[in-house]
Amino acid sequence: MKKIALYNRKGGVGKSTTTINLAHAYARDGLRVLVIDADDQASSTNGLGLTNDYEGKVLLDCLLEENDPFYTPIEQVIVTCEYETGTVYLVPTRRSASPSDLTSQIGYEYRLSEELAKIDELFDICLIDCPGSTSALNPYARCALVAQDRIIMPVQMQKFSMDAVYSAPEELEEMKRFREDIHIAAFIPTMVSARSKGDVMTVEELEELGKEVGIPVLTTIPYAVKVQTLQRESRPVIDHKSPATDAYLQLAEEVLSL
């Protein structure tokens, strides 16, 4: 199972949207895909059809120490999300399940990695939606960054999102005491308007930075109102013809080959 973490400390850059649409693309191709919603805003959970009042087991339950009475093995947390395009499996989260509860556990950073090792043969690819608005210091983000095989960074074409790109190496440096090989594997320009000169210039800036630091820039995801509408309805974008659909399908191939 290949484990991909979608990471950017800046919120609203398209991490959850990218996670969900990559999952649908892989499911359509017949791959066994697992989504881990490690964002305590629960966007991927909601986007895959679970409501905010979901009362089942969630990510936090399988990250507790195994001797904790509330611990639940990850295979008992997984929810099956059926679509005409294929099946997506989900480890959901809930906004009320605070990851701060993990910080009292010594070595909690390795818990997701340990749990995923138990189900490694059951899935082909695992997409981990990391939290935004904080940094690698968020407990869920720490677990995700230790568990991943590749980190890809969705980047919206705005100043604050680009600022996060420049600060990412310093943030990840702190995580190297848990995994020495932590690094960004690729950038994804998201929500790009071809009509916006600023967006086009920022894509070029990201590509120049990528060349300088040796990080590839993957397929640009165009801005599309339809994507947001479908996501609110928990419907796969790849069911509909649009430039965004084509971009996500191309992106899925690129991510799988990293």
Side-chain angles (χ1 to χ4, degrees):
M1 174 172 59
K2 177 175 285 189
K3 299 174 286 293
I4 305 293
L6 289 95
Y7 175 80
N8 189 326
R9 70 173 177 83
K10 175 73 174 63
V13 300
K15 292 188 296 294
S16 299
T17 300
T18 304
T19 299
I20 291 168
N21 288 303
L22 285 178
H24 284 305
Y26 294 133
R28 191 192 74 158
D29 287 345
L31 296 180
R32 300 167 298 171
V33 55
L34 176 67
V35 170
I36 306 286
D37 191 351
D39 181 357
D40 40 6
Q41 294 299 308
S43 296
S44 285
T45 297
N46 297 156
L48 288 170
L50 274 65
T51 59
N52 287 326
D53 58 359
Y54 175 71
E55 295 182 353
K57 294 294 185 178
V58 293
L59 175 63
L60 180 62
D61 296 305
C62 67
L63 299 183
L64 299 172
E65 295 175 322
E66 293 189 10
N67 60 1
D68 189 295
F70 295 103
Y71 163 73
T72 304
I74 191 169
E75 58 266 31
Q76 296 180 27
V77 177
I78 296 171
V79 175
T80 302
C81 305
E82 298 281 3
Y83 295 88
E84 289 186 7
T85 49
T87 302
V88 176
Y89 297 91
L90 169 69
V91 174
T93 195
R94 185 169 45 241
R95 292 186 181 186
S96 60
S98 172
S100 62
D101 294 344
L102 295 175
T103 57
S104 61
Q105 296 181 184
I106 297 175
Y108 76 85
E109 293 89 349
Y110 299 96
R111 289 292 299 124
L112 180 58
S113 181
E114 292 166 355
E115 288 295 305
L116 289 176
K118 299 175 183 177
I119 58 171
D120 185 71
E121 300 299 322
L122 299 181
F123 299 98
D124 299 303
I125 188 163
C126 173
L127 301 169
I128 310 174
D129 184 10
C130 295
S133 302
T134 53
S135 70
L137 296 177
N138 178 285
Y140 281 162
R142 285 174 175 264
C143 290
L145 292 173
V146 171
Q148 55 74 34
D149 296 317
R150 299 287 188 276
I151 300 171
I152 58 176
M153 192 172 193
V155 185
Q156 189 180 11
M157 299 298 95
Q158 295 182 353
K159 179 184 184 303
F160 292 133
S161 185
M162 284 300 296
D163 288 347
V165 171
Y166 288 109
S167 63
E170 183 177 346
E171 294 166 7
L172 296 178
E173 188 68 30
E174 191 261 345
M175 290 298 299
K176 289 188 176 180
R177 62 193 178 102
F178 302 103
R179 275 195 58 175
E180 293 184 0
D181 62 344
I182 286 181
H183 64 280
I184 304 294
F187 297 124
I188 306 171
T190 62
M191 296 178 274
V192 177
S193 171
R195 298 180 179 180
S196 168
K197 185 177 180 180
D199 281 12
V200 173
M201 291 177 63
T202 307
V203 171
E204 292 173 353
E205 178 186 351
L206 185 62
E207 290 173 341
E208 285 299 317
L209 173 64
K211 290 177 182 178
E212 290 178 13
V213 298
I215 299 176
V217 177
L218 305 183
T219 291
T220 294
I221 305 299
Y223 175 78
V225 175
K226 189 68 173 177
V227 171
Q228 309 303 322
T229 302
L230 291 170
Q231 196 153 292
R232 283 194 293 270
E233 299 171 356
S234 300
R235 295 165 60 196
V237 172
I238 61 171
D239 269 355
H240 302 267
K241 291 183 179 180
S242 76
T245 297
D246 295 339
Y248 281 122
L249 293 175
Q250 177 64 33
L251 177 65
E253 293 182 10
E254 294 172 349
V255 169
L256 204 57
S257 66
L258 287 173

